[in-house]
Amino acid sequence: MLSLGSTLVLYTDGLVEGKRDKLLGEEALFAAIKSVAASNNENPAEAIASLTVGTLPSDDVAVLTVSPALRPLLELDLTLPAQPQSGKLFRQALRRFYLAAGLSEAKIQVLQVATGEAITNSIQHAYGVRGGSVRVCGRVESGKLIVEIRDTGRWRGAHDDGGGYGLQVLKGIVQDVAIDSTDQGTTVRLTQPVGRVIT
Amino acid sequence: VTNQAEFITKQVDGINVVSVFGEVDIANVDEFRTCLEKAADDRAPGLVVDLTRTAYFDSRTIALLADFATKLRVHRQRIALVAPADGFAARILQIAGLPLIVPAFQSVIDAINSVREPAGT
């Protein structure tokens, strides 16, 4: 499997034989790939081809590059309206963050539920009719995954629409759950060693 | 109606089986509830909910399933879940302690058989 940030380059021999000397052609190709990889070019295949064969007339030149579409999201900071539809958007962003942290699919699925519980609580209870927003921040610090869910409303832990299951599920997945509630708002901080995320 | 999940009800041997494909959260848990209510047949011994292909659900879905099981029990009906071991659903159900209230099975057939068992056995 291609890891995030890597690129697979496929090409026809016309690309390296244009210079008559195949070795020189390959050297030119490697240099072009390095240069294009460093530049985050939007069309890497075209850039590689033009750097390698330049404006020389050539036939049989085809370049194909394959790379995972998502750049690794090593730090997450996303604020969305406190509305039900935001749940899925937060999960999509968190998924990128968890992938970048090196978590497996199975671990990501379970962890999404823990963060989802806190996010849903903010969406549903932090605000009155005037609405508001929810901010989710994620980072990895000395091997620990830290996700913070903040709102500027009041924490209403007692009003658990999960029928009492919400906090149980959250704490069953993440051992270190800190809830900091003030007049200014509520922050739920989930801390979990990357290597010890349960599946 | 969101497009986060598809709820498909099929009848297998006279028992309605609701399969959940996709993600269930605060945005569509009411849609799921409506679907369960429609699938609950007064004349059947119960209902099966297949979570094998469910990619996300949280405590709201767990509470809904527990609540629904209680309602069915009043009518001497049962609800059984399908959540294969080591799968996402089985893991979350276990963390929530739901299997104590709503039984979960490895396959649709196992779940149907459990719903068919006469009450009290």
Side-chain angles (χ1 to χ4, degrees):
Chain A
M1 200 178 102
L2 278 179
S3 57
L4 283 173
S6 58
T7 301
L8 174 70
V9 182
L10 306 162
Y11 59 92
T12 54
D13 54 9
L15 184 67
V16 289
E17 286 169 356
K19 289 192 193 307
R20 307 233 177 260
D21 181 337
K22 199 174 172 184
L23 281 178
L24 272 181
E26 277 181 353
E27 269 179 29
L29 172 60
F30 293 146
I33 290 173
K34 272 188 188 168
S35 145
V36 170
S39 70
N40 283 339
N41 197 298
E42 280 209 343
N43 189 340
E46 191 179 63
I48 288 168
S50 91
L51 278 173
T52 311
V53 297
T55 52
L56 287 172
S58 55
D59 58 2
D60 183 32
V61 171
V63 183
L64 179 68
T65 62
V66 182
S67 45
L70 299 177
R71 296 184 197 293
L73 188 63
L74 298 169
E75 253 191 68
L76 172 67
D77 186 347
L78 179 63
T79 302
L80 291 173
Q83 60 190 31
Q85 297 84 338
S86 296
K88 188 179 172 75
L89 299 173
F90 275 126
R91 284 200 298 279
Q92 285 171 347
L94 279 163
R95 194 182 133 73
R96 287 182 59 193
F97 169 64
Y98 294 146
L99 277 174
L103 297 183
S104 68
E105 282 296 332
K107 289 181 178 189
I108 289 172
Q109 276 197 309
V110 173
L111 207 52
Q112 287 280 25
V113 179
T115 37
E117 295 291 349
I119 290 168
T120 308
N121 197 300
S122 282
I123 287 175
Q124 194 158 33
H125 294 303
Y127 303 96
V129 282
R130 67 193 163 83
S133 59
V134 179
R135 182 178 177 193
V136 176
C137 298
R139 62 185 185 278
V140 177
E141 249 176 46
S142 18
K144 284 182 178 168
L145 202 65
I146 300 168
V147 180
E148 289 172 342
I149 296 102
R150 303 161 199 256
D151 59 57
T152 51
R154 281 185 301 135
W155 172 257
R156 301 192 204 167
H159 292 243
D160 182 350
D161 275 4
Y165 291 105
L167 212 52
Q168 184 184 342
V169 168
L170 176 51
K171 289 186 170 170
I173 296 169
V174 178
Q175 286 136 21
D176 187 352
V177 180
I179 300 169
D180 181 25
S181 193
T182 67
D183 292 346
Q184 312 300 315
T186 301
T187 300
V188 178
R189 184 179 300 107
L190 311 179
T191 310
Q192 186 82 345
V194 174
R196 267 197 268 142
V197 177
I198 65 162
T199 53
Chain B
V1 174
T2 71
N3 54 6
Q4 286 186 186
E6 236 186 313
F7 306 99
I8 295 172
T9 305
K10 281 184 184 165
Q11 208 174 65
V12 182
D13 291 341
I15 307 279
N16 277 338
V17 178
V18 179
S19 299
V20 183
F21 298 87
E23 303 182 329
V24 186
D25 67 6
I26 185 179
N28 61 349
V29 70
D30 287 337
E31 196 186 329
F32 185 25
R33 182 191 308 276
T34 305
C35 173
L36 289 182
E37 284 166 358
K38 277 184 192 162
D41 182 345
D42 287 346
R43 293 155 301 175
L47 180 70
V48 168
V49 178
D50 185 358
L51 299 173
T52 308
R53 302 282 299 278
T54 313
Y56 178 92
F57 66 89
D58 56 29
S59 61
R60 277 155 183 81
T61 289
I62 292 162
L64 166 62
L65 293 170
D67 180 48
F68 212 75
T70 308
K71 279 181 184 160
L72 288 181
R73 210 170 290 137
V74 174
H75 300 284
R76 297 181 181 237
Q77 288 180 304
R78 304 168 182 223
I79 184 167
L81 309 178
V82 183
D86 300 331
F88 163 73
R91 198 73 194 88
I92 299 302
L93 294 174
Q94 191 192 339
I95 289 165
L98 197 69
L100 298 172
I101 304 163
V102 186
F105 297 88
Q106 296 296 311
S107 69
V108 172
I109 294 301
D110 289 349
I112 286 174
N113 287 339
S114 93
V115 167
R116 280 190 177 289
E117 279 173 27
T121 58

mmCIF file of all heavy atoms in Angstrom, chain B residues 53-89:
data_model
loop_
_atom_site.group_PDB
_atom_site.id
_atom_site.type_symbol
_atom_site.label_atom_id
_atom_site.label_comp_id
_atom_site.label_asym_id
_atom_site.label_seq_id
_atom_site.Cartn_x
_atom_site.Cartn_y
_atom_site.Cartn_z
ATOM 1 N N ARG B 53 -22.624 -4.303 8.705
ATOM 2 C CA ARG B 53 -22.073 -3.318 7.767
ATOM 3 C C ARG B 53 -22.251 -1.889 8.258
ATOM 4 O O ARG B 53 -22.259 -0.948 7.481
ATOM 5 C CB ARG B 53 -22.740 -3.494 6.401
ATOM 6 C CG ARG B 53 -22.568 -4.886 5.802
ATOM 7 C CD ARG B 53 -21.210 -5.102 5.183
ATOM 8 N NE ARG B 53 -20.972 -4.164 4.090
ATOM 9 C CZ ARG B 53 -21.426 -4.336 2.859
ATOM 10 N NH1 ARG B 53 -22.123 -5.404 2.559
ATOM 11 N NH2 ARG B 53 -21.166 -3.450 1.923
ATOM 12 N N THR B 54 -22.403 -1.738 9.574
ATOM 13 C CA THR B 54 -22.567 -0.396 10.138
ATOM 14 C C THR B 54 -21.190 0.157 10.486
ATOM 15 O O THR B 54 -20.454 -0.441 11.267
ATOM 16 C CB THR B 54 -23.470 -0.446 11.389
ATOM 17 O OG1 THR B 54 -24.618 -1.235 11.090
ATOM 18 C CG2 THR B 54 -23.907 0.961 11.778
ATOM 19 N N ALA B 55 -20.856 1.294 9.893
ATOM 20 C CA ALA B 55 -19.502 1.833 10.045
ATOM 21 C C ALA B 55 -19.368 2.734 11.260
ATOM 22 O O ALA B 55 -18.264 2.945 11.772
ATOM 23 C CB ALA B 55 -19.106 2.597 8.789
ATOM 24 N N TYR B 56 -20.473 3.304 11.700
ATOM 25 C CA TYR B 56 -20.439 4.163 12.885
ATOM 26 C C TYR B 56 -21.796 4.170 13.567
ATOM 27 O O TYR B 56 -22.830 4.270 12.904
ATOM 28 C CB TYR B 56 -20.075 5.615 12.508
ATOM 29 C CG TYR B 56 -20.064 6.558 13.697
ATOM 30 C CD1 TYR B 56 -18.905 6.791 14.425
ATOM 31 C CD2 TYR B 56 -21.237 7.191 14.124
ATOM 32 C CE1 TYR B 56 -18.900 7.622 15.535
ATOM 33 C CE2 TYR B 56 -21.242 8.021 15.239
ATOM 34 C CZ TYR B 56 -20.069 8.234 15.939
ATOM 35 O OH TYR B 56 -20.072 9.052 17.043
ATOM 36 N N PHE B 57 -21.798 4.043 14.877
ATOM 37 C CA PHE B 57 -22.972 4.369 15.688
ATOM 38 C C PHE B 57 -22.469 4.679 17.081
ATOM 39 O O PHE B 57 -21.365 4.293 17.452
ATOM 40 C CB PHE B 57 -24.013 3.236 15.670
ATOM 41 C CG PHE B 57 -23.569 1.953 16.322
ATOM 42 C CD1 PHE B 57 -23.758 1.730 17.676
ATOM 43 C CD2 PHE B 57 -22.964 0.963 15.560
ATOM 44 C CE1 PHE B 57 -23.349 0.547 18.270
ATOM 45 C CE2 PHE B 57 -22.552 -0.227 16.153
ATOM 46 C CZ PHE B 57 -22.741 -0.436 17.512
ATOM 47 N N ASP B 58 -23.261 5.432 17.827
ATOM 48 C CA ASP B 58 -22.811 5.809 19.163
ATOM 49 C C ASP B 58 -23.899 5.545 20.196
ATOM 50 O O ASP B 58 -24.830 4.774 19.950
ATOM 51 C CB ASP B 58 -22.336 7.275 19.172
ATOM 52 C CG ASP B 58 -23.416 8.226 18.662
ATOM 53 O OD1 ASP B 58 -24.610 7.918 18.826
ATOM 54 O OD2 ASP B 58 -23.055 9.277 18.093
ATOM 55 N N SER B 59 -23.798 6.207 21.344
ATOM 56 C CA SER B 59 -24.691 5.890 22.457
ATOM 57 C C SER B 59 -26.159 6.163 22.142
ATOM 58 O O SER B 59 -27.040 5.566 22.752
ATOM 59 C CB SER B 59 -24.266 6.669 23.704
ATOM 60 O OG SER B 59 -24.349 8.051 23.459
ATOM 61 N N ARG B 60 -26.420 7.035 21.189
ATOM 62 C CA ARG B 60 -27.828 7.293 20.849
ATOM 63 C C ARG B 60 -28.480 6.078 20.191
ATOM 64 O O ARG B 60 -29.631 5.764 20.437
ATOM 65 C CB ARG B 60 -27.943 8.530 19.972
ATOM 66 C CG ARG B 60 -27.944 9.783 20.826
ATOM 67 C CD ARG B 60 -27.480 11.005 20.113
ATOM 68 N NE ARG B 60 -27.451 12.110 21.051
ATOM 69 C CZ ARG B 60 -26.468 12.343 21.910
ATOM 70 N NH1 ARG B 60 -25.427 11.543 21.950
ATOM 71 N NH2 ARG B 60 -26.523 13.362 22.735
ATOM 72 N N THR B 61 -27.710 5.412 19.359
ATOM 73 C CA THR B 61 -28.211 4.186 18.743
ATOM 74 C C THR B 61 -28.328 3.078 19.789
ATOM 75 O O THR B 61 -29.304 2.322 19.800
ATOM 76 C CB THR B 61 -27.264 3.748 17.601
ATOM 77 O OG1 THR B 61 -27.420 4.670 16.528
ATOM 78 C CG2 THR B 61 -27.599 2.349 17.108
ATOM 79 N N ILE B 62 -27.350 3.006 20.690
ATOM 80 C CA ILE B 62 -27.384 1.986 21.746
ATOM 81 C C ILE B 62 -28.619 2.185 22.623
ATOM 82 O O ILE B 62 -29.345 1.241 22.939
ATOM 83 C CB ILE B 62 -26.082 2.043 22.580
ATOM 84 C CG1 ILE B 62 -24.909 1.584 21.704
ATOM 85 C CG2 ILE B 62 -26.190 1.181 23.831
ATOM 86 C CD1 ILE B 62 -23.554 1.974 22.224
ATOM 87 N N ALA B 63 -28.879 3.445 22.989
ATOM 88 C CA ALA B 63 -30.053 3.744 23.804
ATOM 89 C C ALA B 63 -31.334 3.406 23.055
ATOM 90 O O ALA B 63 -32.287 2.881 23.632
ATOM 91 C CB ALA B 63 -30.035 5.230 24.202
ATOM 92 N N LEU B 64 -31.342 3.678 21.760
ATOM 93 C CA LEU B 64 -32.523 3.376 20.938
ATOM 94 C C LEU B 64 -32.789 1.863 20.924
ATOM 95 O O LEU B 64 -33.929 1.424 21.098
ATOM 96 C CB LEU B 64 -32.306 3.899 19.508
ATOM 97 C CG LEU B 64 -33.270 3.400 18.430
ATOM 98 C CD1 LEU B 64 -34.700 3.828 18.744
ATOM 99 C CD2 LEU B 64 -32.871 3.934 17.059
ATOM 100 N N LEU B 65 -31.739 1.070 20.735
ATOM 101 C CA LEU B 65 -31.900 -0.384 20.685
ATOM 102 C C LEU B 65 -32.371 -0.933 22.032
ATOM 103 O O LEU B 65 -33.250 -1.800 22.090
ATOM 104 C CB LEU B 65 -30.581 -1.047 20.262
ATOM 105 C CG LEU B 65 -30.141 -0.764 18.817
ATOM 106 C CD1 LEU B 65 -28.720 -1.268 18.586
ATOM 107 C CD2 LEU B 65 -31.103 -1.415 17.819
ATOM 108 N N ALA B 66 -31.801 -0.406 23.130
ATOM 109 C CA ALA B 66 -32.202 -0.863 24.464
ATOM 110 C C ALA B 66 -33.660 -0.497 24.720
ATOM 111 O O ALA B 66 -34.446 -1.303 25.228
ATOM 112 C CB ALA B 66 -31.286 -0.242 25.519
ATOM 113 N N ASP B 67 -34.023 0.710 24.346
ATOM 114 C CA ASP B 67 -35.373 1.214 24.535
ATOM 115 C C ASP B 67 -36.368 0.391 23.704
ATOM 116 O O ASP B 67 -37.445 0.023 24.171
ATOM 117 C CB ASP B 67 -35.384 2.687 24.105
ATOM 118 C CG ASP B 67 -36.751 3.316 24.267
ATOM 119 O OD1 ASP B 67 -37.335 3.129 25.348
ATOM 120 O OD2 ASP B 67 -37.223 3.968 23.322
ATOM 121 N N PHE B 68 -35.967 0.079 22.490
ATOM 122 C CA PHE B 68 -36.836 -0.671 21.590
ATOM 123 C C PHE B 68 -37.038 -2.095 22.103
ATOM 124 O O PHE B 68 -38.134 -2.658 22.016
ATOM 125 C CB PHE B 68 -36.230 -0.679 20.186
ATOM 126 C CG PHE B 68 -37.272 -0.700 19.107
ATOM 127 C CD1 PHE B 68 -37.987 0.451 18.801
ATOM 128 C CD2 PHE B 68 -37.548 -1.856 18.429
ATOM 129 C CE1 PHE B 68 -38.962 0.434 17.826
ATOM 130 C CE2 PHE B 68 -38.525 -1.883 17.446
ATOM 131 C CZ PHE B 68 -39.232 -0.742 17.145
ATOM 132 N N ALA B 69 -35.975 -2.673 22.662
ATOM 133 C CA ALA B 69 -36.078 -4.028 23.214
ATOM 134 C C ALA B 69 -37.086 -4.052 24.357
ATOM 135 O O ALA B 69 -37.889 -4.985 24.485
ATOM 136 C CB ALA B 69 -34.702 -4.485 23.699
ATOM 137 N N THR B 70 -37.042 -3.009 25.182
ATOM 138 C CA THR B 70 -37.978 -2.920 26.307
ATOM 139 C C THR B 70 -39.416 -2.819 25.807
ATOM 140 O O THR B 70 -40.319 -3.482 26.321
ATOM 141 C CB THR B 70 -37.637 -1.692 27.176
ATOM 142 O OG1 THR B 70 -36.253 -1.754 27.505
ATOM 143 C CG2 THR B 70 -38.464 -1.665 28.445
ATOM 144 N N LYS B 71 -39.629 -1.994 24.778
ATOM 145 C CA LYS B 71 -40.979 -1.822 24.219
ATOM 146 C C LYS B 71 -41.501 -3.133 23.639
ATOM 147 O O LYS B 71 -42.666 -3.485 23.824
ATOM 148 C CB LYS B 71 -40.968 -0.759 23.120
ATOM 149 C CG LYS B 71 -41.013 0.655 23.667
ATOM 150 C CD LYS B 71 -41.030 1.659 22.531
ATOM 151 C CE LYS B 71 -40.970 3.061 23.075
ATOM 152 N NZ LYS B 71 -40.521 4.018 22.072
ATOM 153 N N LEU B 72 -40.632 -3.850 22.928
ATOM 154 C CA LEU B 72 -41.052 -5.114 22.316
ATOM 155 C C LEU B 72 -41.396 -6.156 23.376
ATOM 156 O O LEU B 72 -42.309 -6.954 23.209
ATOM 157 C CB LEU B 72 -39.962 -5.652 21.382
ATOM 158 C CG LEU B 72 -39.757 -4.921 20.063
ATOM 159 C CD1 LEU B 72 -38.664 -5.605 19.260
ATOM 160 C CD2 LEU B 72 -41.039 -4.855 19.238
ATOM 161 N N ARG B 73 -40.622 -6.106 24.475
ATOM 162 C CA ARG B 73 -40.828 -7.092 25.532
ATOM 163 C C ARG B 73 -42.246 -7.002 26.091
ATOM 164 O O ARG B 73 -42.861 -8.012 26.437
ATOM 165 C CB ARG B 73 -39.799 -6.869 26.650
ATOM 166 C CG ARG B 73 -39.427 -8.140 27.383
ATOM 167 C CD ARG B 73 -38.238 -7.919 28.297
ATOM 168 N NE ARG B 73 -37.008 -7.710 27.564
ATOM 169 C CZ ARG B 73 -36.102 -6.783 27.866
ATOM 170 N NH1 ARG B 73 -36.296 -5.957 28.875
ATOM 171 N NH2 ARG B 73 -35.010 -6.674 27.154
ATOM 172 N N VAL B 74 -42.749 -5.772 26.149
ATOM 173 C CA VAL B 74 -44.127 -5.570 26.623
ATOM 174 C C VAL B 74 -45.100 -6.371 25.762
ATOM 175 O O VAL B 74 -46.096 -6.897 26.249
ATOM 176 C CB VAL B 74 -44.474 -4.059 26.603
ATOM 177 C CG1 VAL B 74 -45.940 -3.840 26.957
ATOM 178 C CG2 VAL B 74 -43.580 -3.299 27.564
ATOM 179 N N HIS B 75 -44.801 -6.476 24.487
ATOM 180 C CA HIS B 75 -45.665 -7.223 23.565
ATOM 181 C C HIS B 75 -45.181 -8.655 23.379
ATOM 182 O O HIS B 75 -45.514 -9.307 22.398
ATOM 183 C CB HIS B 75 -45.700 -6.514 22.201
ATOM 184 C CG HIS B 75 -46.219 -5.122 22.285
ATOM 185 N ND1 HIS B 75 -47.554 -4.835 22.427
ATOM 186 C CD2 HIS B 75 -45.578 -3.932 22.285
ATOM 187 C CE1 HIS B 75 -47.713 -3.522 22.503
ATOM 188 N NE2 HIS B 75 -46.532 -2.959 22.418
ATOM 189 N N ARG B 76 -44.357 -9.097 24.286
ATOM 190 C CA ARG B 76 -43.796 -10.464 24.239
ATOM 191 C C ARG B 76 -43.055 -10.708 22.922
ATOM 192 O O ARG B 76 -43.121 -11.793 22.348
ATOM 193 C CB ARG B 76 -44.880 -11.504 24.437
ATOM 194 C CG ARG B 76 -45.505 -11.367 25.813
ATOM 195 C CD ARG B 76 -46.565 -12.407 26.033
ATOM 196 N NE ARG B 76 -47.134 -12.181 27.358
ATOM 197 C CZ ARG B 76 -47.167 -13.104 28.310
ATOM 198 N NH1 ARG B 76 -46.664 -14.282 28.103
ATOM 199 N NH2 ARG B 76 -47.703 -12.835 29.477
ATOM 200 N N GLN B 77 -42.399 -9.686 22.474
ATOM 201 C CA GLN B 77 -41.576 -9.827 21.274
ATOM 202 C C GLN B 77 -40.113 -9.624 21.654
ATOM 203 O O GLN B 77 -39.820 -9.052 22.700
ATOM 204 C CB GLN B 77 -41.981 -8.794 20.229
ATOM 205 C CG GLN B 77 -43.322 -9.074 19.569
ATOM 206 C CD GLN B 77 -43.648 -8.005 18.560
ATOM 207 O OE1 GLN B 77 -43.683 -6.829 18.883
ATOM 208 N NE2 GLN B 77 -43.875 -8.414 17.332
ATOM 209 N N ARG B 78 -39.205 -10.036 20.755
ATOM 210 C CA ARG B 78 -37.777 -9.910 21.039
ATOM 211 C C ARG B 78 -37.080 -9.157 19.926
ATOM 212 O O ARG B 78 -37.538 -9.134 18.790
ATOM 213 C CB ARG B 78 -37.118 -11.276 21.115
ATOM 214 C CG ARG B 78 -37.715 -12.215 22.097
ATOM 215 C CD ARG B 78 -37.138 -13.582 21.805
ATOM 216 N NE ARG B 78 -37.714 -14.563 22.689
ATOM 217 C CZ ARG B 78 -37.016 -15.514 23.279
ATOM 218 N NH1 ARG B 78 -35.722 -15.595 23.059
ATOM 219 N NH2 ARG B 78 -37.599 -16.383 24.069
ATOM 220 N N ILE B 79 -35.927 -8.625 20.295
ATOM 221 C CA ILE B 79 -35.056 -8.033 19.278
ATOM 222 C C ILE B 79 -33.695 -8.716 19.419
ATOM 223 O O ILE B 79 -33.244 -8.982 20.533
ATOM 224 C CB ILE B 79 -34.966 -6.499 19.442
ATOM 225 C CG1 ILE B 79 -34.140 -5.887 18.311
ATOM 226 C CG2 ILE B 79 -34.401 -6.090 20.785
ATOM 227 C CD1 ILE B 79 -34.262 -4.364 18.236
ATOM 228 N N ALA B 80 -33.099 -9.062 18.299
ATOM 229 C CA ALA B 80 -31.773 -9.671 18.327
ATOM 230 C C ALA B 80 -30.883 -8.931 17.341
ATOM 231 O O ALA B 80 -31.334 -8.521 16.269
ATOM 232 C CB ALA B 80 -31.858 -11.153 17.968
ATOM 233 N N LEU B 81 -29.619 -8.746 17.725
ATOM 234 C CA LEU B 81 -28.680 -8.015 16.866
ATOM 235 C C LEU B 81 -27.739 -8.984 16.166
ATOM 236 O O LEU B 81 -27.478 -10.074 16.673
ATOM 237 C CB LEU B 81 -27.854 -7.038 17.699
ATOM 238 C CG LEU B 81 -28.627 -6.091 18.620
ATOM 239 C CD1 LEU B 81 -27.661 -5.226 19.410
ATOM 240 C CD2 LEU B 81 -29.577 -5.225 17.794
ATOM 241 N N VAL B 82 -27.232 -8.564 15.021
ATOM 242 C CA VAL B 82 -26.175 -9.308 14.346
ATOM 243 C C VAL B 82 -24.929 -8.433 14.387
ATOM 244 O O VAL B 82 -24.920 -7.323 13.845
ATOM 245 C CB VAL B 82 -26.533 -9.644 12.887
ATOM 246 C CG1 VAL B 82 -25.432 -10.492 12.260
ATOM 247 C CG2 VAL B 82 -27.875 -10.361 12.817
ATOM 248 N N ALA B 83 -23.897 -8.919 15.088
ATOM 249 C CA ALA B 83 -22.642 -8.172 15.221
ATOM 250 C C ALA B 83 -21.509 -9.188 15.352
ATOM 251 O O ALA B 83 -21.196 -9.631 16.456
ATOM 252 C CB ALA B 83 -22.689 -7.256 16.435
ATOM 253 N N PRO B 84 -20.910 -9.584 14.233
ATOM 254 C CA PRO B 84 -19.848 -10.602 14.273
ATOM 255 C C PRO B 84 -18.693 -10.207 15.197
ATOM 256 O O PRO B 84 -18.328 -9.027 15.263
ATOM 257 C CB PRO B 84 -19.375 -10.676 12.817
ATOM 258 C CG PRO B 84 -20.517 -10.163 12.022
ATOM 259 C CD PRO B 84 -21.189 -9.129 12.866
ATOM 260 N N ALA B 85 -18.148 -11.194 15.895
ATOM 261 C CA ALA B 85 -17.041 -10.960 16.825
ATOM 262 C C ALA B 85 -15.890 -10.256 16.115
ATOM 263 O O ALA B 85 -15.672 -10.457 14.926
ATOM 264 C CB ALA B 85 -16.565 -12.289 17.401
ATOM 265 N N ASP B 86 -15.189 -9.423 16.843
ATOM 266 C CA ASP B 86 -14.041 -8.669 16.337
ATOM 267 C C ASP B 86 -14.455 -7.536 15.398
ATOM 268 O O ASP B 86 -13.610 -6.775 14.943
ATOM 269 C CB ASP B 86 -13.034 -9.567 15.585
ATOM 270 C CG ASP B 86 -12.494 -10.665 16.489
ATOM 271 O OD1 ASP B 86 -12.432 -10.427 17.703
ATOM 272 O OD2 ASP B 86 -12.140 -11.737 15.972
ATOM 273 N N GLY B 87 -15.743 -7.432 15.100
ATOM 274 C CA GLY B 87 -16.193 -6.333 14.261
ATOM 275 C C GLY B 87 -16.401 -5.083 15.095
ATOM 276 O O GLY B 87 -16.420 -5.124 16.327
ATOM 277 N N PHE B 88 -16.564 -3.964 14.389
ATOM 278 C CA PHE B 88 -16.759 -2.680 15.051
ATOM 279 C C PHE B 88 -17.987 -2.706 15.966
ATOM 280 O O PHE B 88 -17.927 -2.327 17.138
ATOM 281 C CB PHE B 88 -16.895 -1.581 13.994
ATOM 282 C CG PHE B 88 -17.483 -0.304 14.507
ATOM 283 C CD1 PHE B 88 -16.746 0.535 15.318
ATOM 284 C CD2 PHE B 88 -18.784 0.052 14.177
ATOM 285 C CE1 PHE B 88 -17.303 1.715 15.802
ATOM 286 C CE2 PHE B 88 -19.344 1.223 14.644
ATOM 287 C CZ PHE B 88 -18.600 2.055 15.466
ATOM 288 N N ALA B 89 -19.105 -3.188 15.440
ATOM 289 C CA ALA B 89 -20.359 -3.164 16.206
ATOM 290 C C ALA B 89 -20.233 -3.974 17.492
ATOM 291 O O ALA B 89 -20.645 -3.524 18.564
ATOM 292 C CB ALA B 89 -21.508 -3.686 15.351
#
